[in-house]
Amino acid sequence: MSQQLDRVVIRFAGDSGDGMQLTGDRFTAESATLGNDIATLPNFPAEIRAPQGTLPGVSSFQLHFANFDIVTPGDVPDVLVAMNPAALKANLRDLRQGGVIIVDTAEFTKRNLAKIGWLHNPLDDDTLAGYRVHKIDLTGLAQGAVAEFGLTRKDASRTKNMLALGLLSWLYSRPTEGTEKFLAEKFASKPAIRDANIAAFRAGYAFGETTETFEVRYHVPAAPMPQGVYRQVSGNVATAYGLMAGAHKAGLQLFLGSYPITPASDILHELSRRKDVGVMTFQAEDEIAGVGAAVGASFAGALGVTTTSGPGMALKAETIGLAVMTELPLVIVNVQRSGPSTGMPTKTEQADLLQALYGRNGESPVPVIAAKSSTDCFDTALEACRIAVKYRTPVIMLSDGYLANGAEPWKIPNLDEIEPIEPGFATGPNGLDEKGNPVFLPFQRDPETLAREWAIPGTPGLEHRIGGIEKADGTGNVSYDPENHEKMTKLRHAKIKGIARDIPDLEVEDPSGEAEILVIGWGSTYGPIAAASRRVRKTGRKVATAHLRHLNPMPANLGDVLRRYKKIIVPEMNLGQLAALLRARTLVDVEGYGRVRGLPISIVELEADLIAELDALASKELS
């Protein structure tokens, strides 16, 4: 029997060596091929090889696919594929009641159960009551399917993830050709491994077709999407493409100076592959060298970029201040993770907002913008490039681990439709000296943007001083004059404040036009806020939402928007950093809604809390 569904959330979970990320990625790719809207949430240990079969070693990959526009990977899975007891125990609490569990019975040994503190096998008691449980010997089936290829027992058992993928592909009517082609190419140099994985994948699909374990097969139709060419893209890859597009539209060489750090490293990996389009990457020995090289590249007339996470931002702070003082274009991408210190390197968080705004010595203002989704990382990176070049300033772009590793369908843009970015290099003298002779003044400013001249070193007649010591207005000479320092400090501040002219007004989504509560967020809270608000509105309650991309400066109409509502709620993955900023900048009371669990904000929890707030407000008005 076949049944049509609108949406499904599946979580593949197993040991960090069980290939769950690969399995989930392949299922995602085939779902995208069918035209479903998709959103993913990879979740894996920080350790390279955590202890096998233990709770800290569990790796998972969650996929939400649907026949309509979705904004999150979901937080309550409908299906859990658990490769061992640890995977089951670590993820069971997230599964919805009545959900499907598929387990590999071969791994439920006394030894593996003891590793996680289970005295009894949950497959034999009522631990899983309320769920639809399918007990399948995935390991044994995989070993049998690949017996002809002469693999060791260990290598044969490793194909169980492909057997599980084949089974789920049958169960949810996914195509198989793409995965078989992928496996053939991935393991082309190892014929036995290639053939074994393909055989296990086919065996899983055949098992689904022939077994009587599953009474229903499911189908999720394609989602309606604007016409165009699409591809699956992660936030880090979209960021890399946005940076390339920004440099291209400015006619500049893109230079990345970076040091590998989780979860930002994939931007470095992606850009290092793009030498064919003129991208230059430098993997530095540390964070300071990476940002220093990027500033040097901008001084030389390229678009300097550096990528990092929170700990790296701390190390880069002094050199970012140098870029503020020299007023050179620079893009700093901070893919945030849980902190402080090393924190939880593979888990997500939004706790670097105040660091981005104020984490430098002296008055050193910089624009700060944040991406709201994996695909929005492209547009945000492009916007960061545009601001950096136009205003001659370092720009901090905030992403996070949730966006960086997650994937969505991305409509590939037409580069010809993207507005060009004019670098406006200085070409000759722009002023007069005391004797009336033509001279180049490196800190002569554009009257509208207050951006200084950008002169490429070696250009005849444009020789000038540059460095971290305060500059005299206009000439750029070293100056310790108190009045000059105050003037230059205010000019740098006014330049950043003036960027607000290029920022669109804050838009509010309020279908009823009668909402009394506004939920406002930034960065990756966009998805949970949008999803929870949709659910709240379906109950007949009224709630408005708004989202901030520009965090410094903020939209000019922000205060007016906030003052229209009786209550402002600010969900964010920290303990109230944006909430504090909104209070300080608008003098409007707001209510923080902070969560720091290393996971995206729970849609179910936010929905329930919003309903409680709305009902309390309604009850108060009635009384």
Side-chain angles (χ1 to χ4, degrees):
M1 185 173 72
S2 180
Q3 180 179 338
Q4 182 169 306
L5 301 174
D6 293 332
R7 55 177 290 277
V8 179
V9 179
I10 297 178
R11 184 180 295 178
F12 297 92
D15 189 73
S16 56
D18 284 338
M20 295 296 92
Q21 304 305 316
L22 175 63
T23 305
D25 188 66
R26 286 312 313 159
F27 196 95
T28 300
E30 299 304 342
S31 298
T33 299
L34 281 178
N36 296 134
D37 196 11
I38 57 170
T40 68
L41 179 63
N43 193 353
F44 42 85
E47 292 79 11
I48 293 174
R49 190 67 174 91
Q52 191 170 7
T54 64
L55 293 173
V58 173
S59 173
S60 68
F61 188 105
Q62 184 163 303
L63 164 67
H64 184 188
F65 60 105
N67 66 356
F68 59 92
D69 173 46
I70 56 176
V71 289
T72 76
D75 55 4
V76 181
D78 303 298
V79 182
L80 172 63
V81 180
M83 292 295 192
N84 60 20
L88 178 62
K89 186 173 185 179
N91 293 281
L92 183 59
R93 64 181 180 180
D94 295 334
L95 188 66
R96 70 169 176 83
Q97 280 296 309
V100 173
I101 299 175
I102 298 174
V103 295
D104 181 9
T105 57
E107 293 294 322
F108 281 71
T109 63
K110 287 185 178 179
R111 181 184 178 188
N112 286 344
L113 292 168
K115 283 182 182 180
I116 59 169
W118 266 346
L119 300 178
H120 304 286
N121 191 335
L123 304 183
D124 298 333
D125 57 26
D126 61 356
T127 301
L128 304 181
Y131 301 101
R132 290 176 286 162
V133 183
H134 300 283
K135 309 171 192 177
I136 303 172
D137 183 3
L138 297 175
T139 299
L141 288 172
Q143 289 172 342
V146 304
E148 64 182 285
F149 300 105
L151 302 181
T152 64
R153 184 178 181 83
K154 184 177 182 181
D155 285 342
S157 65
R158 282 178 175 169
T159 65
K160 66 181 180 180
N161 66 321
M162 287 298 106
L163 188 130
L165 177 59
L167 172 58
L168 270 293
S169 296
W170 174 84
L171 186 59
Y172 289 95
S173 308
R174 307 291 95 180
T176 61
E177 297 80 10
T179 295
E180 292 194 15
K181 181 181 178 182
F182 169 84
L183 293 172
E185 293 174 352
K186 180 177 176 63
F187 299 111
S189 62
K190 302 175 180 178
I193 299 295
R194 175 198 63 203
D195 295 343
N197 276 280
I198 292 174
F201 175 68
R202 290 174 177 172
Y205 195 93
F207 179 79
E209 242 176 354
T210 57
T211 186
E212 296 182 359
T213 302
F214 300 94
E215 299 175 353
V216 180
R217 190 183 187 193
Y218 303 98
H219 174 64
V220 179
M225 292 186 180
Q227 188 173 5
V229 178
Y230 288 81
R231 61 156 289 176
Q232 176 185 334
V233 71
S234 70
N236 274 343
V237 172
T239 299
Y241 289 172
L243 294 170
M244 287 192 291
H248 172 74
K249 299 307 291 189
L252 302 173
Q253 181 177 42
L254 179 64
F255 177 92
L256 174 69
S258 190
Y259 179 76
I261 183 172
T262 301
S265 298
D266 283 342
I267 304 174
L268 170 61
H269 299 158
E270 184 63 30
L271 289 177
S272 69
R273 303 186 185 106
R274 302 303 171 185
K275 299 179 182 68
D276 58 324
V277 292
V279 176
M280 182 181 293
T281 55
F282 168 55
Q283 182 174 319
E285 66 269 27
D286 57 40
E287 297 281 4
I288 300 171
V291 67
V295 173
S298 289
F299 171 62
L303 178 57
V305 177
T306 189
T307 54
T308 190
S309 188
M313 286 293 289
L315 294 169
K316 294 180 190 291
E318 183 179 3
T319 309
I320 296 172
L322 174 63
V324 171
M325 178 64 82
T326 56
E327 300 190 52
L328 287 167
L330 177 69
V331 177
I332 306 105
V333 180
N334 177 4
V335 186
Q336 301 165 95
R337 71 189 202 190
S338 296
S341 187
T342 307
M344 299 191 295
T346 61
K347 310 303 179 185
T348 195
E349 204 161 273
Q350 285 182 302
D352 296 348
L353 176 55
L354 295 182
Q355 179 193 41
L357 288 168
Y358 306 118
R360 293 164 298 283
N361 65 296
E363 292 286 347
S364 52
V366 300
V368 178
I369 59 177
K372 68 180 182 181
S373 66
S374 296
T375 53
D376 187 54
C377 286
F378 174 87
D379 297 313
T380 308
L382 179 60
E383 174 77 353
C385 295
R386 187 180 302 279
I387 294 172
V389 171
K390 180 176 180 178
Y391 288 90
R392 312 285 195 262
T393 179
V395 178
I396 294 177
M397 171 188 162
L398 296 175
S399 175
D400 60 49
Y402 164 34
L403 300 185
N405 295 318
E408 295 175 322
W410 178 52
K411 183 182 177 183
I412 300 174
N414 184 342
L415 280 179
D416 293 336
E417 296 176 357
I418 297 174
E419 290 293 324
I421 302 171
E422 178 54 56
F425 288 119
T427 57
N430 59 1
L432 301 174
D433 63 16
E434 296 175 354
K435 298 179 180 179
N437 299 315
V439 65
F440 174 62
L441 301 175
F443 283 83
Q444 184 87 298
R445 298 178 184 277
D446 179 279
E448 180 182 350
T449 65
L450 297 181
R452 78 168 184 88
E453 295 273 14
W454 187 11
I456 297 179
T459 305
L462 303 187
E463 296 84 3
H464 60 285
R465 294 178 179 86
I466 198 164
I469 298 178
E470 184 62 278
K471 311 292 182 296
D473 184 29
T475 66
N477 295 336
V478 171
S479 174
Y480 292 96
D481 179 71
E483 285 73 21
N484 177 78
H485 174 56
E486 183 165 24
K487 180 180 181 180
M488 294 294 280
T489 299
K490 288 182 176 179
L491 279 170
R492 289 187 288 263
H493 182 269
K495 180 177 71 169
I496 303 307
K497 186 178 180 181
I499 295 172
R501 291 187 300 270
D502 288 351
I503 296 174
D505 280 348
L506 180 65
E507 294 183 358
V508 176
E509 183 180 352
D510 181 6
S512 70
E514 300 174 354
E516 295 182 316
I517 288 183
L518 173 69
V519 185
I520 184 170
W522 67 279
S524 64
T525 57
Y526 170 80
I529 289 172
S533 298
R534 284 178 184 176
R535 296 182 184 182
V536 169
R537 289 174 188 138
K538 285 182 178 179
T539 69
R541 296 172 174 87
K542 297 162 185 172
V543 63
T545 60
H547 196 79
L548 288 168
R549 166 182 279 177
H550 294 269
L551 298 159
N552 189 46
M554 291 181 172
N557 69 330
L558 175 63
D560 293 337
V561 169
L562 298 189
R563 282 185 280 272
R564 295 207 307 256
Y565 295 90
K566 290 188 176 180
K567 191 160 197 174
I568 313 294
I569 299 175
V570 187
E572 49 187 330
M573 291 186 291
N574 58 54
L575 296 182
Q577 295 184 18
L578 178 62
L581 286 170
L582 293 180
R583 291 190 201 103
R585 295 188 182 185
T586 67
L587 301 182
V588 174
D589 188 27
V590 302
E591 181 178 315
Y593 186 95
R595 299 293 185 271
V596 282
R597 300 167 177 168
L599 294 168
I601 286 176
S602 166
I603 305 164
V604 171
E605 183 180 314
L606 180 57
E607 175 194 3
D609 290 340
L610 288 177
I611 288 174
E613 291 280 1
L614 288 162
D615 290 351
L617 186 61
S619 176
K620 184 177 180 181
E621 290 176 350
L622 288 173
S623 62

